[in-house]
Amino acid sequence: MPRDLFQGRQSQELTLTESPESKTPWNSTAGDQEASPGTQFTIVRDESDDREMQMSNKLRTGDQKNHLHPYVQILSISDLEACVALENAAFPENERCSREKFIYRLTNCPELSLGLFSSTTTLPTPATEAAHAAARSPDSTTPSHKALLLAHVIGTLTSDPVVTDASMDIPKTSHSHPDHDAHATSSVEKPQPGHHSHGRTIAIHSVCVLPTHQRLGLGKTVLKAYMQRMETSGIADRMAVLARPEMVGWYVGQFGFEEKGESRATFGGGGWRELVRLC
């Protein structure tokens, strides 16, 4: 589940600008099997802002063996292993998105998930071994380069105004459900859980940053890029997220979410606060 990855430190803000290679327009059709792999943004610094310059210098020289070349891109089912590895590295077991849920979300609504990658040729460390193993080459011409997933935002659409246990679940009709039932039914009183293609609320299920790359401003960067993309698309009226009480300030102060009170969701042991932001 989403959490404040920069608690106790002032986060640095990065600037996103569209890459010249970006040629694929936004596709807001829910249920598409393939996302828009050509849709990328690259991170550049603003010379007029000292903090931006410091951030850029930190990314370039903080570790001479691990230069970052970050960009954001819509996720697809081909990013499954990278998403699973990232989630497993960042969250305790009871708060992770399961492999089955990733398969469902990246197959049925990939346009609602965004990843922040970095092209790298460095060797993995013990802390990044799983992430490196799941990374794939961005193209066939440079097989030595790996697109390492550093952060992601995962979402679906829901008909509810807030994130609920049902919106976090997957329907039994999904092939990725452990108890798959092709004949499972729903009703007005009890609609199918999971993604609702005609819903007007974006349920954000995960805001995640690789632990070795936290406190670099990457979480803030990828979430801002995600919010901008969702608002521009007009796909929904609001965004909703769940947060632990100590994390509420980050979402409210940095992104303009409004706290709505205690959530009824029991996922991860409960204790979540509901947050909503109008698009």
Side-chain angles (χ1 to χ4, degrees):
M1 294 300 295
R3 61 174 61 188
D4 182 357
L5 300 170
F6 312 99
Q7 186 178 4
R9 295 188 58 173
Q10 182 177 3
S11 62
Q12 308 282 2
E13 184 174 354
L14 302 179
T15 303
L16 292 177
T17 182
E18 190 168 4
S19 167
E21 289 79 15
S22 176
K23 299 179 181 179
T24 307
W26 161 259
N27 184 350
S28 61
T29 304
D32 288 348
Q33 297 301 308
E34 293 294 333
S36 304
T39 305
Q40 298 182 3
F41 294 83
T42 54
I43 295 178
V44 298
R45 61 186 171 95
D46 184 349
E47 296 285 356
S48 64
D49 191 328
D50 289 340
R51 289 184 304 166
E52 300 289 345
M53 295 175 69
Q54 293 169 7
M55 185 71 250
S56 180
N57 291 336
K58 186 174 183 181
L59 291 178
R60 291 200 312 269
T61 63
D63 183 348
Q64 295 296 331
K65 296 182 179 179
N66 188 25
H67 297 290
L68 291 182
H69 305 282
Y71 60 93
V72 295
Q73 183 170 299
I74 293 298
L75 296 169
S76 70
I77 192 62
S78 61
D79 297 304
L80 172 63
E81 298 303 328
C83 288
V84 171
L86 175 58
E87 196 88 359
N88 289 348
F91 293 130
E93 186 174 357
N94 67 328
E95 293 184 16
R96 296 172 188 164
C97 174
S98 67
R99 174 181 295 273
E100 292 77 18
K101 288 182 178 179
F102 271 124
I103 293 173
Y104 172 75
R105 293 166 183 169
L106 296 178
T107 300
N108 288 276
C109 50
E111 69 279 1
L112 295 171
S113 294
L114 188 71
L116 188 149
F117 296 83
S118 177
S119 177
T120 180
T121 58
T122 61
L123 295 175
T125 65
T128 62
E129 186 173 359
H132 272 266
R136 54 192 177 89
S137 298
D139 59 72
S140 59
T141 61
T142 54
S144 62
H145 285 71
K146 295 291 184 180
L148 184 65
L149 182 62
L150 301 180
H152 68 214
V153 180
I154 307 295
T156 61
L157 286 175
T158 177
S159 301
D160 294 310
V162 295
V163 179
T164 64
D165 282 324
S167 67
M168 289 185 276
D169 206 350
I170 57 178
K172 285 190 175 182
T173 52
S174 171
H175 289 285
S176 64
H177 196 289
D179 301 317
H180 170 64
D181 181 0
H183 304 292
T185 59
S186 61
S187 64
V188 175
E189 294 77 17
K190 190 176 181 180
Q192 286 273 22
H195 174 64
H196 295 168
S197 60
H198 299 293
R200 297 297 299 175
T201 299
I202 296 172
I204 298 175
H205 302 298
S206 178
V207 180
C208 184
V209 177
L210 193 66
T212 54
H213 289 73
Q214 291 177 8
R215 302 192 180 192
L216 294 177
L218 300 182
K220 184 176 180 180
T221 298
V222 70
L223 185 52
K224 279 196 169 184
Y226 182 87
M227 291 169 60
Q228 181 181 28
R229 184 177 181 86
M230 296 302 113
E231 290 172 353
T232 301
S233 73
I235 196 173
D237 301 321
R238 68 188 66 83
M239 286 179 252
V241 67
L242 298 182
R244 294 299 186 192
E246 63 272 19
M247 313 307 180
V248 169
W250 189 65
Y251 288 100
V252 173
Q254 298 288 340
F255 306 101
F257 279 87
E258 181 181 349
E259 185 180 5
K260 294 297 184 179
E262 185 176 357
S263 172
R264 295 182 180 180
T266 60
F267 176 84
W272 304 99
R273 306 298 292 181
E274 294 177 344
L275 296 164
V276 175
R277 185 184 190 279
L278 298 181
C279 294

